[in-house]
């Protein structure tokens, strides 16, 4: 649980998320795929869809059902299937 994570690790992860570089240029220049949980409270589908509309190139969006933001924990089998789709298409 989050209570077991050292405070400095949480601080470092939060700073990393805060200070990360936006990649809209990368997404406009290359074919990309996005994997999204249909119940993601961090990046809701509506917000993702609005951001995707601003791109020049529409990315492939794969939605994992009954999943929030951490598909590797919540729906690992569906995530593996999605990753295989992206990697071996």
């Amino acid at each position: 649980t989050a209570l077991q994570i050292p405070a400095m690790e949480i601080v470092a992860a939060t700073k990393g998320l805060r200070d990360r570089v936006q990649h809209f240029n990368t997404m406009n220049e290359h074919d990309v795929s996005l994997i999204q949980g249909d119940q993601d409270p961090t990046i809701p589908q509506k917000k993702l869809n609005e951001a995707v509309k601003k791109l020049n190139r529409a990315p492939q969006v794969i939605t994992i059902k009954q999943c929030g933001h951490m598909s590797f924990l919540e729906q690992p089998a569906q995530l593996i299937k999605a990753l295989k789709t992206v990697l071996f298409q």
Side-chain angles (χ1 to χ4, degrees):
T1 68
L3 296 175
Q4 296 170 319
I5 300 171
M8 292 309 298
E9 289 183 25
I10 294 172
V11 170
T14 302
K15 285 181 180 180
L17 291 170
R18 180 195 67 194
D19 298 339
R20 68 182 169 195
V21 176
Q22 296 295 323
H23 289 281
F24 283 105
N25 289 340
T26 302
M27 295 178 75
N28 277 323
E29 296 169 5
H30 302 281
D31 293 328
V32 298
S33 299
L34 303 172
I35 300 173
Q36 166 79 10
D38 68 347
Q39 300 169 11
D40 189 335
T42 306
I43 307 171
Q45 282 187 313
K46 182 178 178 181
K47 186 174 182 178
L48 177 70
N49 292 339
E50 290 169 2
V52 164
K53 288 178 187 177
K54 297 176 184 177
L55 297 171
N56 297 330
R57 298 172 77 132
Q60 173 187 18
V61 178
I62 300 171
T63 303
I64 298 180
K65 298 196 182 303
Q66 298 178 338
C67 186
H69 191 70
M70 300 182 71
S71 56
F72 66 98
L73 295 175
E74 299 171 59
Q75 296 291 348
Q78 286 188 49
L79 175 61
I80 290 169
K81 183 178 176 183
L83 289 170
K84 286 180 179 179
T85 298
V86 171
L87 295 172
F88 303 115
Q89 55 185 331

